[in-house]
Amino acid sequence: MSSANLGLRGFLLLLAIWLCTKLVAYLFRPAGVPTTKLRGPPSPSRILGFTRYAMQAADISVEYEQWAALYGGVFEIPLAFGMKQVMLSDPKALNHCYNTERSIYVRTESERQVISAMFGRGVLWAEGEMHKRQRKALTPAFSNAAIRKLTSVFYDSAYKLKSFWDETIESSSDADSTVIEVQEWMNRVALDSIGIAGFSHDFHYIDGKESPVTAAFHALELTDTSLLTKMIFAVAILFPFLQKIPTERMRTFWRLRKDLATIAGQLLEHTRREKENGIAEEHRDKSIIGLLIKAELTDAELYMTQEEVVAQNVLLLAGYETTSVSLTWALVELSRHPEMQQKLREELTKFGGDPTWDQLSSTSDLPYLDSIVLETLRMHPALKKTPRLASQDDVIPLSTPIVTATGETVSSITVAKGTVIVEPIRAINRSEAFWGPDAKEFNPERWFRDIPLATRELQGYRHLLTFHDGPRTCLGKGFALAEFKAVLSVLIRNYAFEFPRGPDTKIEEHTAIIDRPKVAGEKGAKVPLRVRRL
Ligand code: HEM
């Protein structure tokens, strides 16, 4: 084919895309009140806006922070095909949006489609009254009393890991240390813990047993997400059918869903049989799902269909990925900062023994452990941002007035139904405006200083947005904190961690289900550390 022909075809293709862009922008134009015209960075591409750029940027959170400094706590970003996102970092605006999540701000349809395709219609998917009912039914299983009982599960997993590590170290040539890929082991601890605590299902992953579920998680963590897959996710908000494209990643997700649903279904059967066979209360299943079924059988208001209970298999993923990543980041930071690792070890050794749930939860019994955990959650939130869709027109109040694109100074903005708002968790957690000039440094000492005034305006857990906030705040927050602290305390008391090539080893991020740390140059999400037995 001649180059003139190719040129003509290319031009026609671009023209078709541009016309589609205009048509989509017209079809999806907001109805009712217009969204306040906001300032924001100029688009790097007429068709793709910032969509592609954001995917390729090393850390878009840094730019979000710079744009917030330039345009204020609310600004807008142009995306592909004329879409826009309103970025929020103004505390009053954030609090307003969090707190109205059941009535105004909902998950985007594309996100819900992914969730329902992967897990079914559980609490992560549900909206409005259905969300309220499912959440109410699940809440008792996450109460302080319930988590107190589950703490032994976390210690059991940690000590099981310890016996494997001790064996590996003993058989190594060095006899007191060896290099261990710790992320894989944090996965094992987190999956076995949520398996037992949540579903009475022991994956025996710490023992090295592979199952279809672990194979699926593994596949997702090893394969690098292609730009095409990331783009499909990004523009699926306009073209939801794109999510049905059977990419390698989607096929793995579908397999995972089938396997998780089978496990949840088997457990459901087992628990119902226990009830029918009159097994005494104290011997019945105490897992999260077990308690859920018990609540359902005693309180008609909390009734869930079989499909809904099975869909709570989402807890397995929510509980596994996030906690495992957070634990790995803590080990990365403590290897980068040997003096902090030593200080933490001294606190734990002086304390002696395994802290109880009450001691883990208090801020005064093990203050340095608390500060290391908080600082890890601040610097490395498992979810970097949460987008929401305005399901109706709204007015968002602001703590600090902004100047709009038309030059007006306003202390609230109007948002049209259909507008996507985004809470950039990582950018806010690391923002100098909130956390001071050392915001980008891992500095646990900050938790012993007074929290800056601006930061105090942020709600969330200890002013961190890592667990989100409002009626959709992380349900497993208490579970995650207890597990994080229990496992870290066992590891740091018993081992010293360091990077084989020194504390300045470069760390990158690997996109899996959520982003994970990896040592630069490794294939997949791998963090090999030298582990020395103490
Ligand atoms: C460090 C660990 C964890 C972090 C950082 C974390 C973070 C989050 C965040 C940011 C959300 C809100 C997501 C959104 O609405 O888009 C969320 C929701 C949720 N998390 Fe966690 N999570 C963690 C651990 C856990 C654990 C261990 C469990 C369960 C055992 C869990 C269960 C849930 C559930 C069920 C929801 C959905 C709540 C709802 O929509 O009402 N999470 N989590």
Side-chain angles (χ1 to χ4, degrees):
M1 196 181 294
S2 74
S3 58
N5 253 344
L6 272 176
L8 182 64
R9 281 180 168 221
F11 174 74
L12 288 176
L13 181 68
L14 282 177
L15 188 67
I17 294 177
W18 184 78
L19 284 172
C20 281
T21 311
K22 292 286 156 199
L23 181 66
V24 167
Y26 175 74
L27 289 175
F28 287 84
R29 72 195 185 286
V33 302
T35 299
T36 303
K37 285 194 185 323
L38 297 167
R39 293 189 298 163
S43 179
S45 152
R46 275 186 81 113
I47 294 173
L48 294 178
F50 271 97
T51 300
R52 187 188 171 128
Y53 177 88
M55 268 149 206
Q56 291 176 316
D59 183 0
I60 190 78
S61 304
V62 174
E63 274 143 300
Y64 288 157
E65 186 188 347
Q66 285 163 358
W67 293 330
L70 205 60
Y71 306 114
V74 182
F75 62 91
E76 102 184 359
I77 297 188
L79 297 178
F81 303 116
M83 290 188 295
K84 284 176 185 160
Q85 268 180 355
V86 173
M87 308 296 296
L88 301 178
S89 55
D90 179 281
K92 207 166 179 180
L94 284 167
N95 296 343
H96 168 84
C97 295
Y98 282 137
N99 292 325
T100 51
E101 277 203 341
R102 273 208 197 110
S103 49
I104 303 178
Y105 295 96
V106 295
R107 262 185 218 295
T108 61
E109 202 41 48
S110 58
E111 228 189 2
R112 291 185 87 209
Q113 281 193 11
V114 173
I115 295 169
S116 93
M118 275 175 72
F119 309 106
R121 303 179 164 197
V123 66
L124 201 64
W125 173 87
E127 289 290 352
E129 279 307 306
M130 187 194 260
H131 176 260
K132 199 171 174 183
R133 179 172 55 79
Q134 289 203 14
R135 180 110 190 177
K136 196 170 168 200
L138 281 164
T139 299
F142 289 94
S143 65
N144 289 347
I147 306 296
R148 186 181 280 117
K149 284 191 198 140
L150 291 178
T151 310
S152 60
V153 174
F154 308 138
Y155 282 122
D156 287 349
S157 295
Y159 281 109
K160 207 164 161 190
L161 168 144
K162 180 178 176 305
S163 65
F164 278 99
W165 280 13
D166 286 348
E167 229 173 85
T168 313
I169 292 171
E170 268 158 35
S171 59
S172 73
S173 54
D174 190 334
D176 84 335
S177 82
T178 193
V179 174
I180 293 178
E181 200 288 281
V182 296
Q183 181 135 247
E184 165 71 10
W185 282 93
M186 296 309 107
N187 288 349
R188 292 179 184 207
V189 166
L191 188 66
D192 279 2
S193 299
I194 182 69
I196 295 168
F199 299 84
S200 284
H201 179 91
D202 193 346
F203 283 97
H204 289 291
Y205 197 21
I206 302 179
D207 309 273
K209 188 174 162 196
E210 287 289 345
S211 64
V213 170
T214 58
F217 280 139
H218 226 191
L220 289 168
E221 273 142 33
L222 276 178
T223 45
D224 288 306
T225 313
S226 67
L227 187 62
L228 175 69
T229 307
K230 288 185 189 171
M231 288 291 284
I232 288 177
F233 264 80
V235 297
I237 191 166
L238 285 183
F239 309 111
F241 67 89
L242 287 176
Q243 279 162 5
K244 302 226 162 25
I245 295 177
T247 56
E248 182 57 38
R249 193 175 167 80
M250 272 329 273
R251 282 203 300 268
T252 312
F253 273 138
W254 293 333
R255 278 199 305 273
L256 185 62
R257 182 199 168 172
K258 204 168 127 264
D259 297 325
L260 290 180
T262 307
I263 292 172
Q266 281 166 353
L267 179 74
L268 190 66
E269 261 317 292
H270 173 76
T271 314
R272 287 207 196 286
R273 242 179 287 126
E274 273 187 345
K275 169 84 182 162
E276 278 161 21
N277 296 343
I279 302 220
E281 175 62 39
E282 66 271 23
H283 299 306
R284 280 199 216 138
D285 196 301
K286 297 280 188 303
S287 71
I288 293 171
I289 291 280
L291 288 177
L292 182 67
I293 295 167
K294 193 176 133 205
E296 172 197 315
L297 293 170
T298 49
D299 183 346
E301 210 198 316
L302 301 182
Y303 179 77
M304 282 204 204
T305 62
Q306 161 117 3
E307 191 209 340
E308 282 177 330
V309 177
V310 171
Q312 308 310 337
N313 69 56
V314 70
L315 294 174
L316 201 59
L317 187 79
Y320 153 73
E321 274 282 316
T322 47
T323 316
S324 151
V325 170
S326 305
L327 273 163
T328 309
W329 271 118
L331 294 180
V332 165
E333 290 296 359
L334 292 171
S335 303
R336 277 174 172 165
H337 302 100
E339 71 295 351
M340 295 178 192
Q341 192 181 143
Q342 187 50 29
K343 186 167 173 182
L344 176 59
R345 187 168 298 115
E346 278 162 18
E347 178 181 90
L348 291 164
T349 313
K350 195 163 158 219
F351 183 85
D354 293 329
T356 61
W357 177 85
D358 292 279
Q359 290 160 335
L360 289 174
S361 317
S362 111
T363 50
S364 55
D365 283 325
L366 289 156
Y368 202 63
L369 174 66
D370 189 57
S371 72
I372 293 281
V373 166
L374 288 173
E375 192 62 354
T376 307
L377 293 171
R378 185 186 72 82
M379 287 289 284
H380 306 291
L383 254 73
K384 291 183 176 163
K385 56 182 183 181
T386 48
R388 293 290 190 258
L389 188 81
S391 66
Q392 59 186 68
D393 296 342
D394 190 28
V395 176
I396 303 182
L398 306 176
S399 307
T400 310
I402 55 159
V403 177
T404 66
T406 52
E408 227 183 312
T409 301
V410 294
S411 53
S412 66
I413 60 157
T414 53
V415 165
K417 175 180 174 178
T419 306
V420 174
I421 58 152
V422 174
E423 157 212 342
I425 300 177
R426 177 175 159 113
I428 299 171
N429 276 6
R430 291 175 167 227
S431 151
E432 289 178 26
F434 287 114
W435 293 96
D438 64 348
K440 307 226 170 14
E441 283 163 34
F442 185 86
N443 179 10
E445 299 298 332
R446 79 178 69 252
W447 296 97
F448 298 98
R449 308 195 294 240
D450 282 341
I451 299 287
L453 259 178
T455 323
R456 275 188 247 163
E457 270 198 80
L458 293 171
Q459 291 179 359
Y461 175 72
R462 314 273 292 270
H463 310 291
L464 294 176
L465 303 184
T466 309
F467 291 110
H468 199 72
D469 202 14
R472 295 207 83 117
T473 189
C474 174
L475 187 60
K477 186 172 63 200
F479 184 113
L481 288 166
E483 178 172 6
F484 194 168
K485 289 184 172 180
V487 175
L488 196 62
S489 70
V490 172
L491 294 181
I492 299 300
R493 250 196 356 249
N494 290 284
Y495 305 99
F497 296 87
E498 61 188 43
F499 285 112
R501 276 174 278 150
D504 297 330
T505 296
K506 191 166 172 230
I507 298 294
E508 291 175 346
E509 288 195 13
H510 170 91
T511 305
I513 299 175
I514 53 178
D515 290 350
R516 286 173 168 272
K518 71 175 235 172
V519 166
E522 293 284 338
K523 178 154 175 46
K526 295 215 170 80
V527 180
L529 293 180
R530 177 157 291 281
V531 181
R532 192 175 304 283
R533 198 153 56 145
L534 298 170

